[in-house]
Amino acid sequence: MSKDKPLRKTSGNRLTAMMQVRNESGRYLEQVLEELSGFVDDIVIVDDASTDGTARLCHSFAKVTKLVTLEGSLFNREWELRRTLWELAVSTDPDWLLSVDADEFYEEEAKREMRRLIDQDAYDSVAFRLHDFWGGTTHYREDEHWNIHMKHTRTLVRYLPQFYYFTPQMNHHVPRLPLSYAVLPSFFAELRVKHYGWALPPEALRQKYERYMALDPEGKWGSLEQYRSILDDNPNLVEWQDRQEHERPE
């Protein structure tokens, strides 16, 4: 870091999106990259040894300034994949980093608020409400096993070059950003993110269930009850409602 660069800037911050992908060319990746290109400055991607056209699709977007394709997949060693992405992202000397999955979409209000969220010196991370859409893109799931939207998930962080960053060595369900941010000032935003990772037909949901059980048969990294709930015949679904003008969060 330059000696003249302040630790926390209140204006002129660059926003870098960071993403890990694998065989995403036929799903939501193109739409996600289009949306990100409208409100971030740069996009950094680690391609986890895709065998389709994922890398070519990523290269087609001008905002993708760094893309590394791994020769062998780290899917079964997720903590190494997260660490690889983090190291690539911070090598760009970023101001702020937005961790995005290849099937996540920020609501319009969240995109409009991004610059205000990063051009300040009061907090170093921002957490949003993530909604797990289920079976399609109109409803999200809400029950005892699927309620992440009732909490906040940290996805936007200021990069502090001299800070110590820690990622736990877990093979599955690894936090998307270093746990070290938990001790820094955070802002909990009432802004929402739509996660389409479960917006799948029944057969695809079963395949995800089988993959989870193969990766974590003893529930070491997650909940076996939650894994089994993927196969529920009648999950509780709530229709997504876009905010009206008068419903904007403070």
mmCIF file of all heavy atoms in Angstrom, residues 141 144-146 209 213 219 222-232:
data_model
loop_
_atom_site.group_PDB
_atom_site.id
_atom_site.type_symbol
_atom_site.label_atom_id
_atom_site.label_comp_id
_atom_site.label_asym_id
_atom_site.label_seq_id
_atom_site.Cartn_x
_atom_site.Cartn_y
_atom_site.Cartn_z
ATOM 1 N N ARG A 141 -37.693 -19.823 0.249
ATOM 2 C CA ARG A 141 -38.082 -20.791 1.274
ATOM 3 C C ARG A 141 -37.891 -20.199 2.668
ATOM 4 O O ARG A 141 -36.909 -19.503 2.935
ATOM 5 C CB ARG A 141 -37.273 -22.078 1.130
ATOM 6 C CG ARG A 141 -37.698 -23.175 2.107
ATOM 7 C CD ARG A 141 -37.159 -24.525 1.732
ATOM 8 N NE ARG A 141 -37.494 -25.517 2.737
ATOM 9 C CZ ARG A 141 -37.234 -26.814 2.658
ATOM 10 N NH1 ARG A 141 -36.628 -27.290 1.564
ATOM 11 N NH2 ARG A 141 -37.573 -27.657 3.628
ATOM 12 N N GLU A 144 -37.624 -23.815 9.490
ATOM 13 C CA GLU A 144 -36.587 -23.932 10.517
ATOM 14 C C GLU A 144 -35.206 -24.215 9.935
ATOM 15 O O GLU A 144 -34.188 -23.889 10.551
ATOM 16 C CB GLU A 144 -36.958 -25.032 11.518
ATOM 17 C CG GLU A 144 -37.035 -26.434 10.916
ATOM 18 C CD GLU A 144 -37.327 -27.490 11.959
ATOM 19 O OE1 GLU A 144 -36.657 -27.466 13.016
ATOM 20 O OE2 GLU A 144 -38.220 -28.337 11.715
ATOM 21 N N HIS A 145 -35.149 -24.804 8.755
ATOM 22 C CA HIS A 145 -33.860 -25.134 8.155
ATOM 23 C C HIS A 145 -33.401 -24.113 7.117
ATOM 24 O O HIS A 145 -32.218 -24.076 6.777
ATOM 25 C CB HIS A 145 -33.931 -26.518 7.505
ATOM 26 C CG HIS A 145 -34.225 -27.624 8.463
ATOM 27 N ND1 HIS A 145 -33.400 -27.901 9.542
ATOM 28 C CD2 HIS A 145 -35.262 -28.503 8.523
ATOM 29 C CE1 HIS A 145 -33.911 -28.927 10.219
ATOM 30 N NE2 HIS A 145 -35.026 -29.302 9.621
ATOM 31 N N TRP A 146 -34.316 -23.310 6.625
ATOM 32 C CA TRP A 146 -33.999 -22.359 5.552
ATOM 33 C C TRP A 146 -34.512 -20.978 5.961
ATOM 34 O O TRP A 146 -35.632 -20.585 5.631
ATOM 35 C CB TRP A 146 -34.618 -22.834 4.230
ATOM 36 C CG TRP A 146 -34.108 -24.183 3.853
ATOM 37 C CD1 TRP A 146 -34.642 -25.398 4.196
ATOM 38 C CD2 TRP A 146 -32.921 -24.461 3.103
ATOM 39 N NE1 TRP A 146 -33.864 -26.415 3.711
ATOM 40 C CE2 TRP A 146 -32.803 -25.870 3.028
ATOM 41 C CE3 TRP A 146 -31.961 -23.660 2.485
ATOM 42 C CZ2 TRP A 146 -31.747 -26.497 2.368
ATOM 43 C CZ3 TRP A 146 -30.920 -24.281 1.815
ATOM 44 C CH2 TRP A 146 -30.814 -25.677 1.765
ATOM 45 N N TYR A 209 -28.819 -32.703 -3.169
ATOM 46 C CA TYR A 209 -28.884 -33.456 -1.913
ATOM 47 C C TYR A 209 -27.865 -34.588 -1.919
ATOM 48 O O TYR A 209 -27.104 -34.770 -0.951
ATOM 49 C CB TYR A 209 -30.290 -34.009 -1.715
ATOM 50 C CG TYR A 209 -30.360 -35.152 -0.731
ATOM 51 C CD1 TYR A 209 -30.283 -34.921 0.644
ATOM 52 C CD2 TYR A 209 -30.476 -36.476 -1.175
ATOM 53 C CE1 TYR A 209 -30.323 -35.974 1.550
ATOM 54 C CE2 TYR A 209 -30.530 -37.523 -0.277
ATOM 55 C CZ TYR A 209 -30.443 -37.270 1.081
ATOM 56 O OH TYR A 209 -30.477 -38.320 1.985
ATOM 57 N N MET A 213 -24.628 -35.065 0.591
ATOM 58 C CA MET A 213 -24.456 -36.249 1.431
ATOM 59 C C MET A 213 -23.154 -36.966 1.111
ATOM 60 O O MET A 213 -22.521 -37.548 2.006
ATOM 61 C CB MET A 213 -25.648 -37.187 1.242
ATOM 62 C CG MET A 213 -26.955 -36.639 1.787
ATOM 63 S SD MET A 213 -26.908 -36.256 3.556
ATOM 64 C CE MET A 213 -26.713 -37.891 4.250
ATOM 65 N N GLY A 219 -22.299 -35.029 8.523
ATOM 66 C CA GLY A 219 -22.737 -33.706 8.977
ATOM 67 C C GLY A 219 -21.650 -32.940 9.705
ATOM 68 O O GLY A 219 -21.940 -32.135 10.586
ATOM 69 N N GLY A 222 -21.942 -29.302 8.151
ATOM 70 C CA GLY A 222 -23.274 -28.705 8.110
ATOM 71 C C GLY A 222 -24.267 -29.580 8.859
ATOM 72 O O GLY A 222 -23.893 -30.441 9.649
ATOM 73 N N SER A 223 -25.557 -29.365 8.608
ATOM 74 C CA SER A 223 -26.620 -30.073 9.312
ATOM 75 C C SER A 223 -27.214 -31.167 8.434
ATOM 76 O O SER A 223 -27.698 -30.892 7.326
ATOM 77 C CB SER A 223 -27.728 -29.084 9.704
ATOM 78 O OG SER A 223 -28.915 -29.758 10.051
ATOM 79 N N LEU A 224 -27.201 -32.399 8.937
ATOM 80 C CA LEU A 224 -27.818 -33.495 8.196
ATOM 81 C C LEU A 224 -29.323 -33.283 8.057
ATOM 82 O O LEU A 224 -29.917 -33.637 7.032
ATOM 83 C CB LEU A 224 -27.544 -34.826 8.890
ATOM 84 C CG LEU A 224 -26.101 -35.346 8.813
ATOM 85 C CD1 LEU A 224 -25.961 -36.646 9.599
ATOM 86 C CD2 LEU A 224 -25.666 -35.558 7.372
ATOM 87 N N GLU A 225 -29.940 -32.685 9.065
ATOM 88 C CA GLU A 225 -31.376 -32.406 8.984
ATOM 89 C C GLU A 225 -31.663 -31.433 7.852
ATOM 90 O O GLU A 225 -32.645 -31.585 7.117
ATOM 91 C CB GLU A 225 -31.891 -31.854 10.316
ATOM 92 C CG GLU A 225 -31.953 -32.881 11.425
ATOM 93 C CD GLU A 225 -32.614 -32.323 12.668
ATOM 94 O OE1 GLU A 225 -33.053 -31.146 12.643
ATOM 95 O OE2 GLU A 225 -32.719 -33.061 13.666
ATOM 96 N N GLN A 226 -30.795 -30.428 7.712
ATOM 97 C CA GLN A 226 -31.004 -29.489 6.607
ATOM 98 C C GLN A 226 -30.797 -30.177 5.269
ATOM 99 O O GLN A 226 -31.561 -29.961 4.317
ATOM 100 C CB GLN A 226 -30.079 -28.290 6.722
ATOM 101 C CG GLN A 226 -30.404 -27.229 5.666
ATOM 102 C CD GLN A 226 -29.379 -26.133 5.585
ATOM 103 O OE1 GLN A 226 -28.176 -26.391 5.631
ATOM 104 N NE2 GLN A 226 -29.828 -24.894 5.447
ATOM 105 N N TYR A 227 -29.775 -31.015 5.175
ATOM 106 C CA TYR A 227 -29.563 -31.750 3.927
ATOM 107 C C TYR A 227 -30.806 -32.553 3.564
ATOM 108 O O TYR A 227 -31.268 -32.527 2.415
ATOM 109 C CB TYR A 227 -28.365 -32.695 4.038
ATOM 110 C CG TYR A 227 -27.030 -32.038 4.314
ATOM 111 C CD1 TYR A 227 -25.951 -32.796 4.763
ATOM 112 C CD2 TYR A 227 -26.824 -30.674 4.133
ATOM 113 C CE1 TYR A 227 -24.713 -32.229 5.011
ATOM 114 C CE2 TYR A 227 -25.597 -30.094 4.379
ATOM 115 C CZ TYR A 227 -24.547 -30.869 4.825
ATOM 116 O OH TYR A 227 -23.322 -30.305 5.089
ATOM 117 N N ARG A 228 -31.361 -33.286 4.540
ATOM 118 C CA ARG A 228 -32.537 -34.119 4.267
ATOM 119 C C ARG A 228 -33.743 -33.262 3.872
ATOM 120 O O ARG A 228 -34.582 -33.687 3.068
ATOM 121 C CB ARG A 228 -32.863 -34.974 5.488
ATOM 122 C CG ARG A 228 -31.775 -35.990 5.845
ATOM 123 C CD ARG A 228 -32.199 -36.905 6.975
ATOM 124 N NE ARG A 228 -31.095 -37.747 7.427
ATOM 125 C CZ ARG A 228 -30.447 -37.569 8.577
ATOM 126 N NH1 ARG A 228 -30.802 -36.594 9.406
ATOM 127 N NH2 ARG A 228 -29.445 -38.368 8.914
ATOM 128 N N SER A 229 -33.826 -32.055 4.419
ATOM 129 C CA SER A 229 -34.971 -31.196 4.125
ATOM 130 C C SER A 229 -34.987 -30.735 2.672
ATOM 131 O O SER A 229 -36.009 -30.234 2.193
ATOM 132 C CB SER A 229 -34.976 -29.980 5.056
ATOM 133 O OG SER A 229 -33.976 -29.036 4.687
ATOM 134 N N ILE A 230 -33.872 -30.888 1.961
ATOM 135 C CA ILE A 230 -33.836 -30.535 0.530
ATOM 136 C C ILE A 230 -34.893 -31.330 -0.230
ATOM 137 O O ILE A 230 -35.456 -30.859 -1.223
ATOM 138 C CB ILE A 230 -32.431 -30.802 -0.049
ATOM 139 C CG1 ILE A 230 -31.400 -29.873 0.603
ATOM 140 C CG2 ILE A 230 -32.418 -30.625 -1.566
ATOM 141 C CD1 ILE A 230 -29.959 -30.209 0.244
ATOM 142 N N LEU A 231 -35.207 -32.532 0.270
ATOM 143 C CA LEU A 231 -36.142 -33.424 -0.424
ATOM 144 C C LEU A 231 -37.583 -33.253 0.050
ATOM 145 O O LEU A 231 -38.457 -34.023 -0.376
ATOM 146 C CB LEU A 231 -35.704 -34.878 -0.226
ATOM 147 C CG LEU A 231 -34.294 -35.225 -0.721
ATOM 148 C CD1 LEU A 231 -33.998 -36.698 -0.464
ATOM 149 C CD2 LEU A 231 -34.129 -34.886 -2.191
ATOM 150 N N ASP A 232 -37.865 -32.275 0.897
ATOM 151 C CA ASP A 232 -39.238 -32.067 1.369
ATOM 152 C C ASP A 232 -40.195 -31.893 0.188
ATOM 153 O O ASP A 232 -39.913 -31.136 -0.743
ATOM 154 C CB ASP A 232 -39.319 -30.820 2.251
ATOM 155 C CG ASP A 232 -38.702 -31.041 3.630
ATOM 156 O OD1 ASP A 232 -38.352 -32.187 3.934
ATOM 157 O OD2 ASP A 232 -38.574 -30.049 4.386
#
